[in-house]
DNA sequence: GCATGTTTTGCCTGTTTGTGCAAGAAATGA
DNA sequence: TCATTTCTTGCACAAACAGGCAAAACATGC
């Protein structure tokens, strides 16, 4: 049996059942589980499936961008980043928080006994804050975009324009020294720019996979970042670049 | 069975039923309750559900403290009212839906295959609609009031003023023939009035305990009600009064 | 044919991850 | 209050994992 042949059969079963088991494939193909694991690893690297313990599942192409699907990814890391990020907060501050799973983790990590004013266009962030009695929550309405989990558009921009904040927790889609902070969506980037304009400092918390990557729409230059919260394992060279542009680095 | 698979099934049931029981899941998956508890703990950590004693519930704003206390009340009745209320909808319509547990039940009851434009100031309603791909959702932002589960204030009013709707699902606090539709909160009443003004017809769905009661702030006269959805056990005399003022009565 | 280098595969190594069990803590309901 | 259920924590075991290694199959050049 050819390697290519196995790959095709794996993809077929994945399309039919939505999942495959490593052991099952091994006995079906008459090869060792190690070989199957290698196959799965390769296919995962090509983005054709998502590897999980015991096998693999279909890498939902449509829902990949959707917030609900993403949030299962790198939960631990994001929780650690969130914990460090909330350490930057001072009681009484006012914040902008936009969308993204990292920002939702930050919202959940905000201590219940801290008095804050928080404006957000993310329903996920808003939900996380509804039962915080000391948080004055301002919802930035507008047209809701399911893929982003946030509100965007003219209404959102108008609402942002009327507010100011001490800190802006910017959910970054891509972060690169040269290209700055970038987003995948034009309307989303516009809202982020408005928030950045009306806040005194920008805080960005990112997992390693966002570092040194860029998306089409520019939000702000790398020099606009006041605080950068990263994992301990982040590449030091990249961090040094951001630091030289004025960003304060915080390790989670 | 893959861990990932269990997580997905848990989320599916959560989306369908709004709750899951640890013991039930364990026997359904053929694993120990400890494993299910670990699954639930992980999903809760990712913010995908809210852990409760005995299982888990959907992590939506309607699980917030103030609202959840109410939502435990008369769940069955409200689900029936909701089912009848969505029967009034026609594909392509635009709606205002404001807060309240009954309106949240209505939002959940909206069929997934119906195309609608829905504007709401309730986070509970909004989160119930986020995964309806055919619903164009407009969030009416503003200052969030935890006790109400809705946004109110000048920003909300400004957003409402820019929109119009075919129907307005008015979450009523009190409903009396003489005093009309009334609310407990001044700012809340103001938003309701704005929505009523910009919509072609008002729909009110109420449980019996709201009938023939009144709250301090007046929203609209009883003659403004186009559709009134009530329980089968509602007092006929009261209903006759509303009917004589032009309301169409629908029994759940 | 022969030698060389590459690819694929299976096996072995230690490590990680998921699972069930048991004991103690916490929450619930009478 | 007490009894029961549910939950968390620590532990042990098995399954699954990545990486290194060597044998076999294959291609390439002489």
């Amino acid at each position: 049996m050819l390697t290519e042949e196995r790959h095709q059969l794996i993809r077929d079963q994945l399309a039919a059942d939505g999942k495959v088991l490593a052991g099952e494939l091994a006995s079906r193909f008459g090869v060792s589980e190690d070989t199957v694991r290698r196959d799965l690893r390769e296919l995962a690297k090509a983005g054709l499936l998502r590897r999980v313990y015991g096998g693999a599942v279909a890498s939902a192409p449509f829902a990949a961008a959707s917030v609900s699907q993403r949030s299962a990814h790198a939960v631990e890391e994001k929780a650690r980043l969130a914990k460090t990020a909330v350490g930057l907060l001072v009681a009484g501050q006012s914040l902008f928080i936009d969308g993204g799973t990292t920002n939702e983790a930050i919202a959940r990590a905000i201590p219940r006994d801290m008095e804050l004013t928080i404006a957000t266009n993310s329903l996920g962030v808003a939900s996380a804050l509804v039962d915080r009695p000391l948080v004055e929550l301002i919802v930035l309405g507008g047209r809701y975009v399911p893929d982003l989990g946030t509100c965007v558009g003219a209404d959102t921009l108008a609402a942002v324009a009327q507010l100011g904040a001490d800190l802006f927790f910017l959910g970054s889609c891509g972060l690169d020294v040269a290209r700055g902070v970038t987003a995948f969506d034009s309307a989303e980037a516009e809202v982020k720019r408005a928030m950045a304009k009306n806040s005194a400092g920008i805080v960005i918390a990112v997992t390693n996979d966002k570092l040194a990557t860029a998306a089409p729409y520019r939000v702000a230059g790398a020099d606009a970042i006041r605080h950068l919260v990263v994992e301990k394992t982040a590449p030091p060279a990249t961090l040094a670049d951001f630091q030289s542009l004025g960003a304060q680095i915080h390790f989670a």
Side-chain angles (χ1 to χ4, degrees), chain A:
Chain A
M1 158 147 335
L2 299 168
T3 307
E4 201 61 26
E5 203 175 342
R6 285 200 311 273
H7 286 196
Q8 193 53 52
L9 289 171
I10 291 171
R11 294 181 59 184
D12 288 347
Q13 188 181 338
L14 216 47
D17 303 350
K19 64 148 191 177
V20 291
L21 303 174
E24 189 188 297
L25 290 173
S27 63
R28 211 179 100 203
F29 296 152
V31 297
S32 75
E33 295 200 17
D34 301 74
T35 302
V36 172
R37 272 193 275 274
R38 262 186 281 254
D39 290 338
L40 295 178
R41 214 183 305 171
E42 277 183 58
L43 291 169
K45 201 169 179 180
L48 298 167
L49 52 77
R50 197 160 57 83
R51 191 78 169 83
V52 297
Y53 198 87
V57 295
S59 68
F62 58 96
S66 138
V67 174
S68 55
Q69 290 285 334
R70 260 186 314 179
S71 35
H73 179 246
V75 177
E76 296 290 337
E77 289 83 348
K78 284 171 184 174
R80 267 201 302 276
L81 289 176
K83 203 172 166 189
T84 306
V86 298
L88 301 170
L89 296 177
V90 177
Q93 277 183 327
S94 59
L95 316 175
F96 280 125
I97 304 183
D98 82 331
T101 51
T102 308
N103 274 347
E104 288 179 18
I106 289 172
R108 281 196 297 277
I110 288 176
R112 304 186 66 84
D113 59 350
M114 188 177 267
E115 195 176 337
L116 294 165
T117 301
I118 301 180
T120 183
N121 64 330
S122 156
L123 285 190
V125 170
S127 318
L129 296 173
V130 289
D131 55 349
R132 295 253 187 322
L134 296 179
V135 169
E136 162 96 4
L137 176 62
I138 296 162
V139 178
L140 303 163
R143 182 170 51 84
Y144 178 78
V145 183
D147 285 349
L148 303 172
T150 57
C151 295
V152 300
D155 294 338
T156 317
L157 292 172
V160 173
Q162 294 189 329
L163 295 167
D166 298 312
L167 291 176
F168 169 25
F169 285 79
L170 200 167
S172 175
C173 301
L175 196 52
D176 184 81
V177 176
R179 303 198 43 195
V181 186
T182 47
F184 283 111
D185 183 273
S186 159
E188 185 192 13
E190 211 169 353
V191 172
K192 286 175 196 283
R193 275 195 292 270
M195 287 181 173
K197 189 181 154 199
N198 288 10
S199 55
I202 294 179
V203 183
I204 298 186
V206 284
T207 46
N208 286 347
D209 57 328
K210 303 271 182 66
L211 278 173
T213 65
Y217 298 94
R218 182 185 172 89
V219 174
D223 57 332
I225 303 169
R226 164 103 60 96
H227 299 282
L228 186 58
V229 182
V230 296
E231 301 178 54
K232 283 202 180 68
T233 54
T238 312
L239 298 181
D241 289 341
F242 283 108
Q243 200 160 18
S244 68
L245 287 170
Q248 205 172 320
I249 311 289
H250 306 267
F251 290 99

